[in-house]
Amino acid sequence: MKHYRVNKLTRPDGTVVKKKDMLAPNDRLAVKAAREDADCPVCEVLREGKKVASIY
C-alpha cells in the first residue's frame, strides 16, 4: 500500500481547502477513490509530494 494525499481545492489550481490522507495499492485506484468521493469535486492527488492527477 502506498500513501496518497488528496487536496480539495477551491478551483482548478486554486488554494487548498482540505487535506485527506488515503492508502491505495497504486495510482489508478487512488485516483478512482478520489473521483468517487463526494467531498472532492475539484481535487489533486499526490504521492510522495508529486502530483499524480487532477480531478475537475
Side-chain angles (χ1 to χ4, degrees):
M1 296 299 260
K2 297 176 186 172
H3 175 261
Y4 292 87
R5 163 84 33 98
V6 178
N7 291 333
K8 180 178 179 183
L9 306 173
T10 55
R11 58 183 162 70
D13 296 322
T15 57
V16 176
V17 177
K18 184 177 179 182
K19 298 177 182 180
K20 182 177 180 179
D21 294 316
M22 68 166 38
L23 293 175
N26 58 48
D27 294 352
R28 184 179 56 82
L29 291 176
V31 172
K32 182 180 182 218
R35 272 199 178 105
E36 293 173 353
D37 188 349
D39 195 35
C40 189
V42 179
C43 293
E44 60 186 8
V45 180
L46 303 139
R47 178 181 32 86
E48 298 175 359
K50 295 183 174 98
K51 191 185 302 187
V52 174
S54 296
I55 300 167
Y56 305 123

